[in-house]
Amino acid sequence: MDIWLSDKQENELRKDGWTIPKKPETGSVFFKDKEVGFIDNFVGLSIENEQTEAVRYLVDNEDKIGYALWNVPKIERMW
């Protein structure tokens, strides 16, 4: 699953337990101390589909934080 984030949106995620390298740095991304994906300057934030807790958090907070998700695993959109 992929997501493009502004600096403000990244900071909102950091408040909720995400560890995201600050731009322009790229690298591994962690949610609640577990590696769940990576961030770079081309794709943005990419989360592994099997990281269900992280994926569910992003789906549940899409409207609240104000980002758009791409390639969401089908099972997450069925609720």
Side-chain angles (χ1 to χ4, degrees):
M1 181 174 72
D2 303 313
I3 177 176
W4 289 352
L5 298 167
S6 68
D7 293 341
K8 180 180 176 182
Q9 292 162 331
E10 286 181 17
N11 288 332
E12 288 297 316
L13 293 178
R14 288 184 184 105
K15 291 177 188 176
D16 284 342
W18 290 81
T19 303
I20 304 170
K22 290 196 176 192
K23 291 177 186 165
E25 298 297 319
T26 63
S28 297
V29 172
F30 297 82
F31 180 59
K32 298 184 178 178
D33 298 322
K34 181 178 180 184
E35 187 172 350
V36 296
F38 69 92
I39 194 165
D40 65 23
N41 295 317
F42 180 72
V43 174
L45 177 60
S46 183
I47 303 297
E48 298 168 7
N49 289 343
E50 63 272 6
Q51 299 297 333
T52 55
E53 185 178 10
V55 170
R56 189 163 290 133
Y57 171 91
L58 292 170
V59 170
D60 290 349
N61 288 282
E62 183 176 11
D63 292 333
K64 175 185 167 200
I65 297 177
Y67 46 72
L69 300 171
W70 286 272
N71 303 319
V72 178
K74 280 187 175 183
I75 192 72
E76 294 305 323
R77 287 288 193 202
M78 294 175 73
W79 306 117

